[in-house]
Amino acid sequence: SLSCRLYCEEEKDPKRRSCQTVLAEALDIVVRSFAPILPHLAEEVFQHLPYKKDSEGVFRTGWINASSAWKKPGIEEAIEGACAMRDSFLGSISGKNALEYEVVIVIEPGLLFELMEALQAEETSSVSQLNEIMMASQTTLLSELPKETPADANMIKGTFLINLEGGDICEESSYKVIALPIAKAKCPRCRRYTSDSSSTPCPRCLKVIAGKGSA
Protein backbone atom coordinates (compact mmCIF):
# COMPACT_ATOMS: atom_id res chain seq x y z
CA SER A 1 0.00 0.00 0.00
CA LEU A 2 1.00 3.65 -0.29
CA SER A 3 1.52 4.15 3.44
CA CYS A 4 3.56 0.96 3.76
CA ARG A 5 5.89 2.01 0.96
CA LEU A 6 6.40 5.51 2.36
CA TYR A 7 6.71 4.75 6.05
CA CYS A 8 8.03 1.18 6.25
CA GLU A 9 10.63 0.90 3.50
CA GLU A 10 14.18 2.20 3.73
CA GLU A 11 14.57 5.88 2.88
CA LYS A 12 16.28 5.23 -0.46
CA ASP A 13 14.57 1.96 -1.32
CA PRO A 14 13.47 1.95 -5.01
CA LYS A 15 9.88 1.07 -4.01
CA ARG A 16 9.71 4.11 -1.72
CA ARG A 17 11.39 6.42 -4.21
CA SER A 18 9.17 5.26 -7.08
CA CYS A 19 6.10 5.99 -4.94
CA GLN A 20 7.38 9.51 -4.26
CA THR A 21 8.03 10.00 -7.97
CA VAL A 22 4.46 9.02 -8.88
CA LEU A 23 3.03 11.34 -6.19
CA ALA A 24 5.20 14.23 -7.42
CA GLU A 25 4.16 13.66 -11.05
CA ALA A 26 0.49 13.43 -10.10
CA LEU A 27 0.66 16.65 -8.07
CA ASP A 28 2.43 18.47 -10.90
CA ILE A 29 -0.28 17.47 -13.39
CA VAL A 30 -3.12 18.39 -11.02
CA VAL A 31 -1.62 21.80 -10.21
CA ARG A 32 -1.03 22.65 -13.87
CA SER A 33 -4.55 21.50 -14.71
CA PHE A 34 -6.31 23.89 -12.35
CA ALA A 35 -3.80 26.74 -12.77
CA PRO A 36 -5.89 28.59 -15.43
CA ILE A 37 -8.93 28.81 -13.12
CA LEU A 38 -7.17 28.96 -9.72
CA PRO A 39 -3.94 30.78 -10.57
CA HIS A 40 -3.08 32.03 -7.08
CA LEU A 41 -3.60 28.62 -5.45
CA ALA A 42 -1.61 26.88 -8.18
CA GLU A 43 1.24 29.34 -7.85
CA GLU A 44 1.31 28.98 -4.07
CA VAL A 45 1.41 25.18 -4.29
CA PHE A 46 4.14 25.31 -6.94
CA GLN A 47 6.31 27.68 -4.94
CA HIS A 48 6.16 25.47 -1.84
CA LEU A 49 7.20 22.22 -3.51
CA PRO A 50 10.31 21.20 -1.53
CA TYR A 51 11.90 19.35 -4.47
CA LYS A 52 11.60 22.15 -7.03
CA LYS A 53 14.99 23.87 -7.36
CA ASP A 54 14.02 26.52 -9.91
CA SER A 55 12.22 29.68 -8.85
CA GLU A 56 10.09 30.03 -11.96
CA GLY A 57 6.36 29.89 -11.41
CA VAL A 58 3.82 27.43 -12.74
CA PHE A 59 2.95 29.74 -15.65
CA ARG A 60 6.55 30.08 -16.80
CA THR A 61 7.31 26.38 -17.00
CA GLY A 62 4.82 25.33 -19.65
CA TRP A 63 1.72 23.17 -19.82
CA ILE A 64 1.38 19.52 -18.83
CA ASN A 65 4.11 17.44 -20.43
CA ALA A 66 3.84 13.85 -19.24
CA SER A 67 6.72 11.63 -20.31
CA SER A 68 6.03 8.71 -22.66
CA ALA A 69 8.03 6.58 -20.20
CA TRP A 70 4.90 6.36 -18.06
CA LYS A 71 3.12 4.40 -20.80
CA LYS A 72 4.34 0.82 -20.53
CA PRO A 73 2.57 -1.86 -22.57
CA GLY A 74 0.67 -4.31 -20.42
CA ILE A 75 0.97 -2.45 -17.11
CA GLU A 76 -2.57 -1.05 -17.22
CA GLU A 77 -3.98 -4.49 -17.98
CA ALA A 78 -1.85 -6.05 -15.23
CA ILE A 79 -3.14 -3.57 -12.65
CA GLU A 80 -6.75 -3.99 -13.79
CA GLY A 81 -6.42 -7.78 -13.64
CA ALA A 82 -4.90 -7.64 -10.15
CA CYS A 83 -7.68 -5.28 -9.00
CA ALA A 84 -10.31 -7.71 -10.30
CA MET A 85 -8.70 -10.49 -8.26
CA ARG A 86 -8.49 -8.22 -5.23
CA ASP A 87 -12.21 -7.48 -5.49
CA SER A 88 -12.88 -11.21 -5.57
CA PHE A 89 -10.71 -11.69 -2.50
CA LEU A 90 -12.20 -8.81 -0.50
CA GLY A 91 -15.73 -9.89 -1.41
CA SER A 92 -15.02 -13.37 -0.05
CA ILE A 93 -13.95 -12.24 3.43
CA SER A 94 -17.07 -10.14 4.15
CA GLY A 95 -15.49 -6.96 5.50
CA LYS A 96 -12.86 -8.68 7.62
CA ASN A 97 -9.31 -7.34 7.90
CA ALA A 98 -7.55 -8.32 4.67
CA LEU A 99 -4.19 -8.29 6.45
CA GLU A 100 -5.30 -11.28 8.50
CA TYR A 101 -5.21 -13.39 5.34
CA GLU A 102 -2.77 -14.76 2.85
CA VAL A 103 -3.89 -15.05 -0.75
CA VAL A 104 -3.10 -17.78 -3.25
CA ILE A 105 -3.72 -16.83 -6.89
CA VAL A 106 -3.87 -19.68 -9.39
CA ILE A 107 -3.68 -18.86 -13.12
CA GLU A 108 -2.94 -21.30 -15.92
CA PRO A 109 0.18 -20.48 -17.96
CA GLY A 110 -0.62 -17.72 -20.44
CA LEU A 111 -0.77 -13.97 -20.91
CA LEU A 112 -2.59 -13.21 -17.65
CA PHE A 113 -0.05 -15.21 -15.66
CA GLU A 114 2.79 -13.33 -17.36
CA LEU A 115 1.16 -9.99 -16.53
CA MET A 116 0.90 -11.00 -12.86
CA GLU A 117 4.54 -12.08 -12.90
CA ALA A 118 5.39 -8.50 -13.87
CA LEU A 119 3.91 -7.48 -10.52
CA GLN A 120 5.44 -10.33 -8.52
CA ALA A 121 8.55 -12.14 -9.72
CA GLU A 122 8.75 -14.40 -6.66
CA GLU A 123 6.30 -17.22 -6.09
CA THR A 124 5.44 -15.90 -2.62
CA SER A 125 5.91 -12.34 -1.38
CA SER A 126 4.70 -9.94 1.29
CA VAL A 127 6.27 -6.85 -0.33
CA SER A 128 5.54 -7.23 -4.06
CA GLN A 129 3.35 -4.86 -6.08
CA LEU A 130 0.84 -7.66 -6.49
CA ASN A 131 0.58 -8.16 -2.73
CA GLU A 132 0.18 -4.44 -2.19
CA ILE A 133 -2.75 -4.42 -4.60
CA MET A 134 -4.30 -7.50 -2.98
CA MET A 135 -4.03 -5.74 0.44
CA ALA A 136 -3.19 -9.07 2.12
CA SER A 137 -0.22 -9.91 4.31
CA GLN A 138 1.17 -12.37 1.79
CA THR A 139 0.42 -13.39 -1.81
CA THR A 140 1.41 -16.57 -3.62
CA LEU A 141 1.21 -16.80 -7.42
CA LEU A 142 0.89 -20.31 -8.87
CA SER A 143 0.12 -21.91 -12.24
CA GLU A 144 -1.78 -24.84 -10.69
CA LEU A 145 -3.68 -25.59 -7.51
CA PRO A 146 -1.43 -26.64 -4.63
CA LYS A 147 -1.92 -30.26 -3.61
CA GLU A 148 -2.24 -29.34 0.05
CA THR A 149 -5.19 -26.98 -0.48
CA PRO A 150 -7.60 -27.43 2.47
CA ALA A 151 -10.95 -28.96 1.54
CA ASP A 152 -12.79 -26.04 3.17
CA ALA A 153 -10.59 -23.35 1.61
CA ASN A 154 -12.39 -20.18 0.55
CA MET A 155 -11.91 -20.34 -3.24
CA ILE A 156 -13.31 -17.81 -5.70
CA LYS A 157 -13.27 -18.33 -9.45
CA GLY A 158 -13.31 -15.56 -12.01
CA THR A 159 -12.32 -14.51 -15.51
CA PHE A 160 -10.52 -11.46 -16.88
CA LEU A 161 -10.48 -10.20 -20.47
CA ILE A 162 -7.11 -8.91 -21.60
CA ASN A 163 -7.17 -6.33 -24.40
CA LEU A 164 -3.77 -5.24 -25.74
CA GLU A 165 -2.49 -3.36 -28.78
CA GLY A 166 -5.82 -1.65 -29.42
CA GLY A 167 -7.69 -4.93 -29.56
CA ASP A 168 -5.20 -6.83 -31.71
CA ILE A 169 -4.47 -9.09 -28.74
CA CYS A 170 -7.54 -10.35 -26.87
CA GLU A 171 -7.51 -13.21 -24.43
CA GLU A 172 -9.96 -14.22 -21.73
CA SER A 173 -8.24 -16.00 -18.87
CA SER A 174 -9.67 -17.71 -15.83
CA TYR A 175 -8.24 -17.44 -12.34
CA LYS A 176 -8.81 -18.78 -8.85
CA VAL A 177 -8.28 -16.82 -5.66
CA ILE A 178 -7.89 -18.71 -2.39
CA ALA A 179 -8.14 -16.79 0.89
CA LEU A 180 -6.49 -18.46 3.87
CA PRO A 181 -6.25 -17.13 7.44
CA ILE A 182 -2.58 -16.36 7.96
CA ALA A 183 -0.76 -18.20 10.73
CA LYS A 184 1.90 -15.59 11.50
CA ALA A 185 1.82 -12.79 14.09
CA LYS A 186 1.27 -9.08 13.48
CA CYS A 187 4.47 -7.09 13.04
CA PRO A 188 4.48 -4.19 15.55
CA ARG A 189 6.08 -1.91 12.93
CA CYS A 190 4.33 -2.48 9.57
CA ARG A 191 1.17 -4.12 11.02
CA ARG A 192 1.27 -6.98 8.54
CA TYR A 193 0.97 -10.54 9.77
CA THR A 194 4.47 -11.52 8.70
CA SER A 195 6.29 -11.84 12.01
CA ASP A 196 7.17 -14.90 14.08
CA SER A 197 6.16 -13.05 17.26
CA SER A 198 3.90 -10.10 18.02
CA SER A 199 6.74 -8.53 20.02
CA THR A 200 9.32 -8.80 17.22
CA PRO A 201 9.34 -6.95 13.88
CA CYS A 202 9.08 -9.01 10.71
CA PRO A 203 12.22 -9.83 8.68
CA ARG A 204 11.66 -6.91 6.28
CA CYS A 205 11.30 -4.41 9.13
CA LEU A 206 14.28 -5.85 11.01
CA LYS A 207 16.39 -5.29 7.90
CA VAL A 208 15.20 -1.67 7.57
CA ILE A 209 15.83 -0.97 11.27
CA ALA A 210 19.31 -2.49 11.04
CA GLY A 211 20.05 -0.32 8.03
CA LYS A 212 19.01 2.84 9.89
CA GLY A 213 21.20 1.90 12.82
CA SER A 214 24.29 1.50 10.65
CA ALA A 215 23.66 4.65 8.62
Side-chain angles (χ1 to χ4, degrees):
S1 65
L2 181 70
S3 59
C4 193
R5 280 195 178 201
L6 291 175
Y7 300 118
C8 296
E9 299 292 352
E10 293 184 70
E11 183 178 358
K12 295 184 179 181
D13 187 283
K15 290 192 290 293
R16 183 175 186 273
R17 296 300 298 271
S18 65
C19 181
Q20 292 176 310
T21 299
V22 170
L23 290 174
E25 183 73 9
L27 178 61
D28 185 85
I29 291 174
V30 168
V31 172
R32 293 183 192 278
S33 296
F34 68 64
I37 56 175
L38 294 170
H40 297 293
L41 177 60
E43 186 65 28
E44 184 175 1
V45 172
F46 203 81
Q47 291 296 334
H48 283 82
L49 295 178
Y51 47 83
K52 286 287 186 182
K53 296 182 179 180
D54 56 72
S55 59
E56 292 186 0
V58 65
F59 294 101
R60 292 179 178 271
T61 53
W63 184 236
I64 298 169
N65 185 26
S67 171
S68 60
W70 291 101
K71 184 64 176 178
K72 294 185 178 181
I75 290 296
E76 183 178 354
E77 288 73 19
I79 298 297
E80 289 180 351
C83 287
M85 297 175 199
R86 178 196 62 197
D87 292 344
S88 297
F89 160 56
L90 295 178
S92 73
I93 61 175
S94 303
K96 296 178 182 177
N97 184 2
L99 290 174
E100 295 179 359
Y101 290 83
E102 61 176 309
V103 175
V104 179
I105 298 174
V106 183
I107 309 171
E108 292 184 358
L111 185 54
L112 182 59
F113 186 86
E114 293 174 5
L115 290 175
M116 293 305 105
E117 279 190 314
L119 301 177
Q120 179 169 303
E122 310 88 350
E123 182 176 284
T124 299
S125 178
S126 61
V127 296
S128 68
Q129 295 181 67
L130 179 58
N131 187 66
E132 289 181 351
I133 293 171
M134 297 304 294
M135 300 170 64
S137 278
Q138 180 175 287
T139 296
T140 298
L141 179 62
L142 301 173
S143 58
E144 58 183 18
L145 277 173
K147 295 180 180 178
E148 64 276 11
T149 303
D152 59 345
N154 191 359
M155 184 186 303
I156 311 96
K157 298 180 181 180
T159 60
F160 181 73
L161 179 62
I162 300 168
N163 192 332
L164 292 172
E165 304 295 335
D168 291 340
I169 301 176
C170 286
E171 181 178 304
E172 186 174 54
S173 301
S174 60
Y175 63 83
K176 299 180 182 71
V177 176
I178 305 171
L180 300 170
I182 198 159
K184 294 187 177 182
K186 181 194 286 188
C187 172
R189 182 173 181 270
C190 69
R191 306 299 181 185
R192 288 182 175 173
Y193 289 76
T194 51
S195 180
D196 295 329
S197 168
S198 59
S199 60
T200 306
C202 66
R204 187 273 301 270
C205 287
L206 284 173
K207 181 180 178 182
V208 173
I209 293 170
K212 287 183 177 179
S214 60

